[in-house]
Amino acid sequence: IVTRVPDQPAADVKRSNNQTGVGYNKWTLQPGVFVNIVLTFRQSLFAVMATFAVGGPYLSAQDNRAPRDFAHDVLPILRERCARCHTNGTYQGGVSMDTRQSLIESHVIQPGDADESELIARIESKDDDYRMPPEGQPLTAAEIKTLRDWIDGDATWEEGFTFKETNWKAPIQPRRPQLPSGDGQPIDRIIGAYFQQNDITWPDPIDDAAFARRLQLDVLGLLPEPDSLLKFLANPASDRRQQLVDRLLERNADYADHWMTFWNDLLRNDYAGTGYIDGGRQQITRWLHRSLSENKPYDRFVRELINPGEASQGFINGIKWRGNVNASQIREVQFAQNVSQVFLGENLKCASCHDSFINDWKLVDAYGMAAIVAEQPLEMFRCDKATGQFAEAKFLWPELGAIDPNSDKRQRLEQTARLITAPDNGRFARTIVNRIWHRMMGRGLVEPVDVMSSRPWSPDLLDYLATDLVDHGFDLKHTIRTIARSRIYQAQCATQTRPVDEAFVFRGPLARRLTAEQFVDAVRLLTGTTPEKRVAEIDDYGETPARPVRAVLVHADPLMRSLGRPNREQVVSTRDDQLSTLQALDLGNGQVLYQALQIGAEHLPQKYPQTDALVEYVFRFALSRSPRPSEKIVIEQTLGDNPDQQKVADLLWMVVMLPEFQHVR
């Protein structure tokens, strides 16, 4: 939605504080060009709001939808009636159903709108030359309704599932790859060999200012302050980038604040849902923040989560829901699902109900993990029906070791923690370095990051990072430092295009949207609206107890929720990076952002009374650069010599709406 016209100067985007509704403000576009989408943006917003206001067809269509489970309802139909002609290398009519993405790119479904989907038109057709499938009986009315409901429900797909067969078998044991010869650190030597093999030219490096912004957002989640950025740029040392990496990683409290977002999502900490029994689950915020600030070795970190003390027990306890729940949602099965997903990159959710359709795990495997934390014999349920069989505690990979099913719960947890974090469990280290690479580079070596049985685009790079982590005592900061110092991390972002069913080819880092917490912190620091009060859970810790409170440490406001901060009712390993209607509303007219910009516009002119100094500060803080000459001329003409509060607020809004601001690039 927010895209600049290439090579065009900033324009006078002007707002007034006339209220058009409770909590919303009117924005108008004056002559000039800063963004090319504001009018369309506003028209879309008002069209959507009008539909909601009158209870239009969108709402009634939603009410009539029946939710469809991909694995149980949809997959059997696709496998039986479609797969022979449209999967695994056979793509008749150019239609591939290997993955959700390839199906969408084949232009036969419109997620959210079955009526506009060619797939539905063909399976409902009475014309034998047009109908699908072309042979055999037509789909039944029930099957057609299932596919309709599925498409209307956004055509959800089981993460990691593909019809495309592969001979790849993910190793469990560690593997130490042979490194290519040549100069540079191992990451770049491996990437260099990969580029040569795939006939790819190395991307150009980013400049120092862009590097500082990317690095600080990745390591600390914060924009570099103008003074510190200028000091870095003035450093004549040839290794100034390496020095900056080390300095930022030494800011322990800021590092912990930022990576809390990552771990809160994975560990379902700071749960904000509505369904569990009060007192049924404890938060682990104090333990988590201290562990990150101390850079606790990752193997010890995980052992303290799997075999916890009082401060860290919230993760394995899971959520105790109100009332009766499906057998696959009981706390013991949550343990099996969450531990396997977070630390081993394995999906047991399908296998928690029946033998999995999407991977090799069986019902007995999921319940074997669940039995580790069971206080009493745990009966297995298949599709929510009792089997009369009872689970026996067992680890996912017996070749790595066994769990004594006759030992007590504490002993079983000790054994499990040891097996998961053992140096010969290569999956453990591979999973976390893949998550860190995804976080810093925009895409994992293995995708999706929770399906570690998939083939990585560079097995050697994955195994190098994993063995290097183990060699350095499971020091996660070491892995972050190693990636940040690489030539490829410091390269310009790549543009990725992929034809249907063509394998992913790595070309360089990808731009990433700021998380909700990063965006809010950036706006608060830019506008001087960050609260100073410490958070109760960690107010006895940190180098600077009076430092500003980060967004991750307070309850989510409406802006953070709309920008993707989850309730954490389930593990969240990657957040959706697509702009939603709610986000557009909050970024365009939301009260939270509006108030922050108004406050900033009130006090910034007092600190920077000269217009050129004010503009320089805003651009330098927000974008880590000075305004371009064309931007500076137009903005100064717009603001004038004595800009009022509303004009300054307009300037702030224009800048924070830029993709350049909203992305780590």
Side-chain angles (χ1 to χ4, degrees):
I1 280 183
V2 187
T3 55
R4 287 192 58 218
V5 177
D7 301 320
Q8 293 291 338
D12 179 12
V13 179
K14 196 172 185 181
R15 303 169 300 158
S16 69
N17 57 6
N18 298 326
Q19 297 296 310
T20 60
V22 178
Y24 294 96
N25 306 288
K26 183 178 179 181
W27 301 66
T28 58
L29 179 66
Q30 300 299 319
V33 278
F34 188 84
V35 289
N36 68 348
I37 47 69
V38 175
L39 290 178
T40 303
F41 174 73
R42 284 180 50 77
Q43 292 167 357
S44 299
L45 293 182
F46 287 125
V48 171
M49 288 190 289
T51 302
F52 287 150
V54 300
Y58 176 84
L59 292 179
S60 60
Q62 287 277 51
D63 291 342
N64 290 329
R65 289 179 188 159
R68 295 297 181 178
D69 180 83
F70 176 79
H72 292 83
D73 301 331
V74 179
L75 180 57
I77 300 174
L78 298 182
R79 178 174 281 149
E80 179 67 23
R81 307 307 306 275
C82 308
R84 184 169 64 88
C85 297
H86 300 292
T87 66
N88 197 39
T90 301
Y91 309 119
Q92 293 189 12
V95 176
S96 167
M97 295 186 175
D98 280 345
T99 65
R100 180 180 187 272
Q101 184 65 27
S102 69
L103 183 58
I104 292 173
E105 291 175 358
S106 297
H107 305 293
V108 293
I109 68 166
Q110 180 66 42
D113 194 345
D115 288 335
E116 294 297 322
S117 298
E118 184 182 352
L119 174 64
I120 298 300
R122 284 184 173 270
I123 64 177
E124 290 182 338
S125 175
K126 306 301 182 183
D127 184 344
D128 290 341
D129 293 330
Y130 185 74
R131 174 179 67 84
M132 290 291 156
E135 299 176 357
Q137 293 296 316
L139 270 64
T140 67
E143 289 173 327
I144 293 173
K145 186 176 189 311
T146 294
L147 294 181
R148 271 189 162 276
D149 291 343
W150 172 62
I151 295 173
D152 279 336
D154 203 37
T156 57
W157 195 279
E158 192 74 26
E159 185 178 31
F161 174 75
T162 176
F163 280 105
K164 198 165 190 176
E165 296 178 1
T166 176
N167 294 323
W168 169 257
K169 181 69 174 177
I172 301 302
Q173 300 284 348
R175 184 183 73 94
R176 193 174 296 275
Q178 182 176 355
L179 297 176
S181 59
D183 297 329
Q185 61 149 274
I187 289 178
D188 293 325
R189 284 151 60 187
I190 296 172
I191 294 290
Y194 176 89
F195 280 172
Q196 186 175 19
Q197 180 182 356
N198 289 278
D199 195 25
I200 296 171
T201 302
W202 269 91
D204 293 332
I206 53 176
D207 62 37
D208 282 341
F211 169 75
R213 188 178 191 272
R214 177 188 293 180
L215 179 70
Q216 186 150 324
L217 284 168
D218 280 342
V219 174
L220 306 181
L222 298 169
L223 295 172
E225 295 187 357
D227 290 344
S228 64
L229 177 61
L230 291 174
K231 184 178 180 180
F232 164 69
L233 296 177
N235 184 356
S238 60
D239 66 341
R240 59 183 172 273
R241 292 194 179 191
Q242 290 85 342
Q243 292 179 22
L244 181 62
V245 173
D246 292 338
R247 282 201 305 273
L248 295 184
L249 285 170
E250 290 170 358
R251 290 172 57 176
N252 295 330
D254 287 329
Y255 168 88
D257 285 351
H258 172 53
W259 286 90
M260 282 279 292
T261 296
F262 174 85
W263 285 109
N264 278 347
D265 285 2
L266 280 174
L267 301 177
R268 300 201 303 183
N269 187 49
D270 188 33
Y271 171 69
T274 59
Y276 74 104
I277 297 173
D278 293 340
R281 184 161 180 256
Q282 294 179 349
Q283 308 300 342
I284 60 172
T285 301
R286 185 188 297 271
W287 175 89
L288 180 55
H289 193 275
R290 183 179 293 273
S291 297
L292 294 172
S293 188
E294 294 174 350
N295 193 31
K296 186 174 292 180
Y298 183 60
D299 58 340
R300 179 184 161 198
F301 176 92
V302 173
R303 284 195 295 270
E304 292 182 13
L305 286 167
I306 302 298
N307 182 29
E310 183 177 355
S312 59
Q313 65 182 337
F315 171 64
I316 68 166
N317 284 349
I319 297 172
K320 186 176 181 180
W321 299 99
R322 292 190 177 100
N324 294 323
V325 298
N326 184 284
S328 64
Q329 294 177 295
I330 63 173
R331 295 172 83 172
E332 293 85 354
V333 178
Q334 289 179 46
F335 169 87
Q337 295 171 351
N338 296 342
V339 168
S340 301
Q341 179 181 355
V342 173
F343 304 125
L344 302 172
E346 286 293 344
N347 183 350
L348 293 186
K349 292 179 181 177
C350 201
S352 299
C353 194
H354 49 74
D355 292 349
S356 178
F357 298 144
I358 63 170
N359 53 36
D360 294 332
W361 297 115
K362 308 298 184 185
L363 184 69
V364 67
D365 297 318
Y367 270 89
M369 287 290 288
I372 293 169
V373 292
E375 301 282 3
Q376 56 191 9
L378 181 63
E379 185 175 12
M380 294 192 293
F381 283 70
R382 184 180 299 276
C383 297
D384 217 27
K385 295 181 180 179
T387 65
Q389 298 175 308
F390 290 84
E392 183 175 279
K394 63 189 274 303
F395 191 54
L396 289 179
W397 294 289
E399 62 267 34
L400 294 179
I403 296 170
D404 181 2
N406 297 317
S407 57
D408 62 26
K409 176 182 174 181
R410 174 57 66 182
Q411 292 173 321
R412 296 195 301 269
L413 287 171
E414 290 175 356
Q415 296 164 21
T416 304
R418 185 171 62 251
L419 290 173
I420 287 176
T421 62
D424 61 348
N425 181 0
R427 175 62 67 83
F428 175 63
R430 289 187 188 100
T431 299
I432 187 59
V433 298
N434 187 59
R435 293 193 190 282
I436 292 174
W437 182 271
H438 175 277
R439 189 79 167 191
M440 297 180 69
M441 301 294 285
R443 191 186 192 279
L445 293 154
V446 177
E447 283 285 338
V449 293
D450 292 329
V451 187
M452 289 298 293
S453 57
S454 299
R455 184 183 180 92
W457 57 261
S458 175
D460 282 355
L461 182 52
L462 178 64
D463 283 323
Y464 165 73
L465 290 172
T467 54
D468 186 60
L469 175 67
V470 177
D471 290 345
H472 288 84
F474 287 96
D475 181 351
L476 294 184
K477 280 190 178 181
H478 167 79
T479 298
I480 294 170
R481 179 183 290 106
T482 300
I483 295 172
R485 286 184 168 186
S486 69
R487 175 184 173 187
I488 192 61
Y489 175 80
Q490 300 178 27
Q492 292 183 5
C493 288
T495 300
Q496 294 289 346
T497 58
R498 183 186 65 83
V500 174
D501 294 301
E502 181 179 301
F504 171 79
V505 177
F506 176 78
R507 300 180 185 277
L510 299 178
R512 292 152 282 137
R513 286 188 67 190
L514 299 178
T515 65
E517 292 85 347
Q518 285 176 311
F519 182 88
V520 169
D521 281 337
V523 169
R524 286 176 174 174
L525 289 171
L526 176 64
T527 58
T529 54
T530 303
E532 296 288 338
K533 185 178 179 181
R534 292 293 295 154
V535 177
E537 286 85 349
I538 59 169
D539 60 6
D540 62 345
Y541 192 71
E543 302 101 318
T544 53
R547 63 195 175 92
V549 176
R550 299 281 292 275
V552 69
L553 299 176
V554 298
H555 293 304
D557 59 26
L559 180 59
M560 276 192 273
R561 287 195 293 271
S562 73
L563 290 177
R565 178 164 165 174
N567 283 338
R568 303 184 175 110
E569 293 170 337
Q570 58 187 358
V571 169
V572 177
S573 55
T574 55
R575 296 184 184 180
D576 188 0
D577 63 356
Q578 300 301 310
L579 188 67
S580 69
T581 302
L582 181 58
Q583 290 172 19
L585 287 165
D586 270 335
L587 291 173
N589 289 311
Q591 193 71 11
V592 173
L593 180 59
Y594 174 81
Q595 289 177 345
L597 299 183
Q598 290 297 123
I599 294 172
E602 182 179 2
H603 72 77
L604 280 176
Q606 300 173 16
K607 188 175 181 180
Y608 301 97
Q610 299 299 318
T611 300
D612 57 348
L614 173 63
V615 173
E616 174 70 21
Y617 169 80
V618 170
F619 271 73
R620 181 69 67 179
F621 204 145
L623 307 177
S624 296
R625 66 171 175 84
S626 298
R628 299 185 179 96
S630 57
E631 293 171 331
K632 192 170 183 179
I633 292 172
V634 173
I635 291 174
E636 288 182 348
Q637 290 175 346
T638 301
L639 295 179
D641 293 330
N642 297 296
D644 60 24
Q645 180 180 353
Q646 194 58 54
K647 289 182 178 179
V648 175
D650 291 341
L651 169 66
L652 293 171
W653 181 78
M654 289 190 294
V655 171
V656 301
M657 287 300 101
L658 284 172
E660 186 179 354
F661 176 82
Q662 296 187 15
H663 285 76
V664 183
R665 300 174 60 90

